[in-house]
Amino acid sequence: MSDVINPPTGAPLLEVRGLSKFYGNIIALQDITTTVEAGKVTCVLGDNGAGKSSFIKILSGVHKHDAGEMFLDGEEVSFSSPRDALDRGIATVYQDLAVVPLMSVWRNFWLGDEPKRGVWPVRWIDIPKAKRVAKEELLKMGIDIRDMEQMVGTLSGGERQSVAIARAAYFGARVLILDEPTSALGVKQSGVVLRYIVEAARRNLGVIFITHNPHHAYPVGDRFLILNRGQSLGNFAKEEISQDQLTALMAGGSELTELQRELSKAR
């Protein structure tokens, strides 16, 4: 379907500067800055309560930010709804809501936007085309499903994620937000999903990979935003941070070192 459109030269596909969100006296996010480039993966890391969910909700149009700026193709934006964000090319794949398990693969790929045949008012779904396009798009992601009538619920966790990612790419997503896609998967299936993330970036999408696992993030990431209690612990390009440093920041760094000293003294 649609080809991804590149942003103007020099402008990131998506950029946030000083982004903040408050719920009364509670700070959900404060002064968060990062960029998302076409064809690159920006990883947003943090434990539970770090602010990852608030960050997703702002980018996807669920909530509005209270301070800071958000730019798409260099133009300042503020989305009024998830549909508004989607119309501008920002698609979010939530781990638990990516697919409908009891529907077929091709139905999940289209979800109400199936190609039609005939002339109004007599129109019907072009099932052969719908199956063919869905199969072709999944093949681009590296997954070959022989029976497109197969229920999505019978697929592996990684394959279900691939259906959602392929769907978003086909329908014109330019920024793809993946919310903890590997958190409930084993080692092998996590590897499958990580390959799909790389493939999505190769198709020139800007990918935002939300995760709490630095071992999943570092191999595929080009930029790393680390959150802790709504604050940024750093916004690094890959060449600026090693995997060990990333893991240390995620784990609490100096806090863990101090705890180890206290425990050693207690023994």
Side-chain angles (χ1 to χ4, degrees), residues 171-217:
F171 282 102
R174 303 176 58 212
V175 177
L176 181 62
I177 304 172
L178 301 174
D179 180 22
E180 296 276 6
T182 62
S183 65
L185 303 179
V187 174
K188 184 175 180 180
Q189 286 301 316
S190 293
V192 170
V193 172
L194 294 178
R195 283 194 289 271
Y196 295 149
I197 290 173
V198 171
E199 184 58 36
R202 285 176 180 166
R203 296 177 69 176
N204 213 31
L205 276 71
V207 181
I208 301 176
F209 176 24
I210 310 294
T211 182
H212 63 272
N213 192 329
H215 300 290
H216 290 173

Side-chain angles (χ1 to χ4, degrees), residues 32-37 40-46 52 55-56 59 176-178 180-181 194 197-198 206-227 232 234-238 241 246 250:
I32 305 302
T33 296
T34 194
T35 58
V36 180
E37 303 279 355
K40 303 290 184 180
V41 180
T42 294
C43 299
V44 180
L45 299 102
K52 302 192 303 296
F55 188 67
I56 293 172
L59 296 185
L176 181 62
I177 304 172
L178 301 174
E180 296 276 6
L194 294 178
I197 290 173
V198 171
V207 181
I208 301 176
F209 176 24
I210 310 294
T211 182
H212 63 272
N213 192 329
H215 300 290
H216 290 173
Y218 199 81
V220 301
D222 297 289
R223 176 164 292 278
F224 306 94
L225 170 65
I226 307 166
L227 300 180
S232 173
N235 174 42
F236 305 96
K238 191 163 193 169
I241 190 170
L246 184 66
M250 277 288 299

Side-chain angles (χ1 to χ4, degrees), residues 17-32:
R17 301 177 191 165
L19 206 67
S20 301
K21 180 66 183 177
F22 308 105
Y23 299 98
N25 294 327
I26 298 173
I27 300 173
L29 287 176
Q30 188 169 33
D31 199 25
I32 305 302

